[in-house]
Each structure stands twice: as C-alpha cells, then as structure tokens.
Amino acid sequence: MKSYKLKPYQNKVSVDYLKGLNPQQKEVVEKGNGPALVLAGAGSGKTRVLIHRLAYLLHQGINPKNILLATFTNRAAAEMTHRAETLINSSLKGLWSGTFHHIGNLILRKEAKTLGYSSNFSITDSEDAKSLIDDCIQNLGYNKREKMFPKKRVIYNIYSLSENSQTDPDKIIADFYPHLEEYAHPIKKIISYYQDKKKQANLMDFSDLLSKWLQVLQNPELAEKYSQIFHYIMVDEYQDTNKIQFEILKKLSAHHNNILVVGDDAQSIYSFRAAQISNLLDFPKIFKTDKIFKLETNYRSSPQILNLANQIIQHNVYQYPKKLKAVRKESETPCLVSAKDIYQQAKFVGQHILKLNEEGVPLSEIAVLFRSRFQALELEMEMTKRNIPYIVRGGLRFFEQAHIKDTLSFLKIIVNPYDEISFKRALSLYRGIGKNYAYRIWKSLIIEKNSLYQTLEKIPKRQKGGFKEFSKLFEKLKKLTIPEDALGEILNMYKEYCHLSFDNAAERLMDLDEMVKMSGNYSTIKKFLHDIGSYEEFKGEKRRTEEKKEEESITLTTIHQAKGLEWEAVFIIGFCEYDFPHAKALNSQKSLEEERRLFYVAATRTKSFLYITYPQTKFSYKNGVIITQPSMFSRELPPYTYEEITLEEEI
C-alpha cells in the first residue's frame, strides 16, 4: 500500500512587510519573538507595527490558526485584520482575533462542560444582569428593609470590579464604596445567590467570559492544549489589562513564551476599571525578558505639543522613560489661559472655537476636554448661546442625565402639579414606591382630587413611609421661591439615594452642586426652569445649513473618553487645584501619577493647537466664592513650554 505524506502548513506570504516603517518599528516586526514588550508612545504608529508584525509571521509560514491577536474592541481587531489582509493580499481565515471577551466566548463554547455548563449557554448583557441581581435582592427579602438598600447597579459594579480584579468584594467595598460597609454582608450574599442563579439558568455575564476562561485554563491539560494552539500571541493596549487578563496570558504563553505586548505606561488611566499598570511595568520581570522596544517617533503632534507632553510625564517615578520626537512641522506654542471665573472661561472657549473655524479648522477637528463631567455645564450653555453644534462623547448631555432629571422633577411639580411624568419620577425615588404605585398616588391626588389625608389612608404600610417623606419635602419646597434654596433642600434628601443608587455618586453630586451654583443666577424657580427648557430643546443638535456639513460638530468629552482619539485643536478646561488633579489623588503617589498620565493623554490628543484654561475663582454651594490656583501640574512645566494668556473684557 502506498502512503501519502501531508506537509505542514507552508503558505508563506511574499510581501514587503517592512515597507513604510521607521527603524524602531522595523526592529519590533523582525525581532519580536519570545516575550517582548513594545512601549508605544502616543501617536507612534503602534497599529501599523502590529499589522506588519502579523504580515511578517505569515511571511515566515505561520498558520493564522496559531496566532492570537487580542485587542480592546472588536472593531480594532476587524480593522487590523482587514489592513493586514490588504497588505498581504491574502485571507487571514482562522486567525484568532478580537477582544478578550470575544475569544473567551469562543473557547468556553468548546469547554463549557468542564465547568458544568452546556455549550449553548446564553450571554446576558449588563442591563439584564442587573435585572437578575434585582430579582436576587427581592428573593432574599432585602427590598423589605426599613432603610433604603443599595440599588442593583451598585451591587453589579461591586461584583464586576471584584471579578475583574480577582479581589474579595469586602475589599472592593472598603476601597471604593466605604459608605456601603454596613451592607457588606448582604451584598456578598446577593452576589453568591446571583452566581448560583446564573449557573442554574445556563447563563454567563461579561465578567464570566474572563473568569470562567481562566477557570478552564487552571486545568493543566486544557492550559497545555490552548498554549499549543496559540504559538504567537499579540496584545494591543496592554497597559489597560486587568488582573484576570494578565493571568490568562500567563497560562496561554507558558508553553512557548512567544508573547508580544504593545502599550504605553504613560497612557494607563483606567485603574477605576481594575486595569493594572503593574502588568506592563513588571512584564520583563514576570516573563523573564530583557527584550524591550520603544516607539518614540510621533506622527500626530507638532514639536511644541510634544515638548510640553515630554515635560509633563518626566515627573512620574513609576514609569519607563520615553521622549517623543515629532515629524510634523512647527505650530504655535500651547497656551495657559487664566479666566476670571468659569463663565469667562466658557466665553473664551466659545469665542476662540469660532475664530479657529473662521481660520479654516473644521468644527469636527475641535474638542473640549475636562477631568470631570460637572465642569462642562457652563460650556454647554455657552455653545448653545453661540449656536455652536456639539456632541458629548460617551455620555448624555448635562440636563439629560438621570440625577439631574431626578432633582429637577421636584421643581417641575412645584410649578406644574399636573406634570405626571415629573411627579412619578420624584415619588419613585422613595423607599417602596415604584412607577406604578407613584401613578396611583398621582391619580388619587390630581384626577380623583382626594386630599393628602384621604390618599394616605389608601396607601399600604410599606409605601406610606416613603410618601410621608415625599409630602414633607414637598410642603417645604412650596414655601421656597428661589431655585438655589429649593435645590439645596432637594439635595439634602437626594444624597443618600445617590450613594445607594449610583456607582459614581461623588461625581454625580459634584454635577448637582454645579447646577445649584448655576441656579443662583435666577430669582424664581419658574425662570430657572424656563431657561433650562430652552437649553434642553437645543441639546447641541447639529446645524443643518448649506455652508456647513451636517456632521460638523465640536466634541465635548471627559479625558478618559478621549483616549485613542485626535483633533487639530484641543481645549483642556478646569485646570485648577483640587479639580485637576482630583482632590482624592493628592494623598497617594500612585493616584497622583495616574492624574499626571491623564494630563499627558489630554495634551497628546491634539495635532497643532492646545489651550489649557483655568478659572481664578469658583463658587461652591457650601463655601461660597473660592480663590483658585492653576493646577500643580502647571508648576511642573518649564515656562518655555507654554505661553500665558490673561483674558480682558472688551468694553
């Protein structure tokens, strides 16, 4: 009998995989075998390097089925794959590419039985997961407590942070939710019950796609199996990986150690999502390698921008030093702009945006960045006044946010008691009262015209306490005419609800303080609501005129949401002490360094124009007018890196 030998995969790709690369990039592409760390500075072309490295592996005859490309969005993975296929003029069918969650899902479908799941398990999104947690709260009877209890979204976030950081919920509560420590035991009980219910329903959430994947790899045979499959591993945005992703990569690379990770420690800004900068900084020690590449040629920004950026980040101790070098031509020096107050700051930004636009910078190439969401309120109002179209990236416009609508609902029913939507929203904030029961109370009072006493008589004991508290506040509010006073009373009630309902309660309360401050400009609640109504009507919609393209809008965004993006001109507002860096970061070197990285990320988003603004005074609802200083980071910058500008009002 004759035999026929099947040769190993040898589909070598003939392509100039080094074309268009600079010397630093070429070195990564050709010498990136074994454990390798690529420190890719902002705008240094890391995506191009990964694509050409992929082409190089195919040129060496590596089967796409033996390559894993992990990214932080499926869109990024699809774009890299498409560009690599274009480069090599060949299909990459079989390549393992996508987010960690996507790849985890593929593997868990194959190995689900080892965990007691069937392969057809369902994946629940975060909203459905929160609904299941709500069922657990109900089933365990915690919704019947006399006191208000933490809401489902808060418990879900505690669970998610615990899973992704591989940390006990007790520590998560102590570190991030200290105001909830009295609820630690019931929260842990709910999380345990939630895990059981998912297993019974053959259900996984997004956190499970990582934690269960790691559980699979803790089986030595399965770890060996997948380590043999993934001969080459490439990871993008490695500085944003968390503890569980780090452990997965260690297991997968144990057999061959061909793992190349690309990241920038200077852009590690997501510790609040459980990202660990130590994954990148400790990579050489953990993976036992001295192969460290640096990409320092920046293709995005002008020399003046990079000069400032390099000076920012050099003050961090916990880092790999890098110095970005520009290939673009010179532009204007960054400006540090001193404004009298937040209103003058907003006026400058609005006026200068229009000036840049007149000089040829498209509105879509202009962005305003801020450390915290509350800092953009006055700016949104200024954009509306000047008819400048804007979009808020990664979030709702100020007056569309839940906590803003919650507090304003009380004012709306003072002015218009027939406002059913606002009445139900306000009343539903109280213990034991949902939207349906809120409607029944509204109907009794407004439609059936029953007295407060008659309505109280109809209400069951569980809802009665909440309605009494609502009525008590409402009676106080009816005696107040000044919106600042009324909002102050509402905030006294709302603070506890906010802490129990939102995982970012502190930031939301800062938004509310800013709105209270703004309301101080109005003499009546009616005038205040009338003006807000007109701002809501505009909502930053895009102008539809013949001379302006429909998509032309400026971008308003937090710095965290801006990472990975770029514009021709960038404004960084609110650059003052206790706002940037955030006051909570001042007591920790680790946190302060992350705040400095945040400033670095903001500055490196721009190509040509950078304006950093700060108000000299701020108003606090509690403390009145406060004299402010520019951020401590401004004092770390040499004077030659920026030009100081003081604003003057034209008479």
Side-chain angles (χ1 to χ4, degrees), residues 449-483:
K449 300 190 183 303
N450 290 316
S451 68
L452 192 64
Y453 177 78
Q454 289 171 317
T455 303
L456 265 171
E457 286 295 301
K458 296 179 182 179
I459 296 175
K461 184 180 177 182
R462 185 163 164 263
Q463 283 82 21
K464 194 167 286 188
F467 183 52
K468 279 182 178 179
E469 289 175 36
F470 169 78
S471 304
K472 188 177 175 182
L473 175 60
F474 195 65
E475 287 303 313
K476 276 187 188 177
L477 295 176
K478 283 199 295 185
K479 297 171 186 174
L480 301 173
T481 57
I482 298 173

Side-chain angles (χ1 to χ4, degrees), residues 344-362:
Q344 194 181 61
Q345 174 181 253
K347 188 176 180 181
F348 163 75
V349 173
Q351 182 175 309
H352 207 67
I353 283 171
L354 293 176
K355 182 175 182 292
L356 288 168
N357 190 227
E358 286 168 8
E359 292 172 353
V361 180

Side-chain angles (χ1 to χ4, degrees), residues 258-318:
N258 275 322
I259 176 168
L260 181 142
V261 301
V262 181
D264 183 7
D265 52 294
Q267 296 188 70
S268 177
I269 59 173
Y270 294 126
S271 63
F272 66 95
R273 293 183 190 166
Q276 295 187 155
I277 190 174
S278 58
N279 290 354
L280 187 146
L281 294 175
D282 296 340
F283 182 89
K285 181 174 65 177
I286 291 164
F287 286 88
K288 298 179 175 55
T289 182
D290 56 1
K291 199 175 276 191
I292 301 174
F293 303 95
K294 290 185 181 181
L295 303 180
E296 297 173 300
T297 302
N298 177 285
Y299 295 92
R300 176 189 302 150
S301 305
S302 69
Q304 287 80 2
I305 302 298
L306 297 186
N307 190 23
L308 181 134
N310 287 328
Q311 292 295 330
I312 290 167
I313 205 63
Q314 73 171 9
H315 291 274
N316 273 8
V317 176
Y318 198 41

Side-chain angles (χ1 to χ4, degrees), residues 153 398-413 421-430 435 470 473 477 487 490-491 493-494 497-498 501-502 508 512 515:
R153 75 188 86 184
F398 191 87
F399 291 109
E400 294 173 336
Q401 298 175 99
H403 53 295
I404 302 296
K405 295 177 83 168
D406 286 346
T407 48
L408 289 177
S409 64
F410 287 90
L411 297 189
K412 288 180 177 180
I413 55 180
I421 293 171
S422 295
F423 188 95
K424 288 190 295 187
R425 186 176 195 110
L427 188 52
S428 298
L429 300 176
Y430 288 86
K435 287 276 167 62
F470 169 78
L473 175 60
L477 295 176
L487 284 169
I490 295 165
L491 247 65
M493 173 282 298
Y494 193 74
Y497 175 87
C498 194
S501 303
F502 302 111
R508 291 178 187 257
L512 292 168
M515 185 172 69

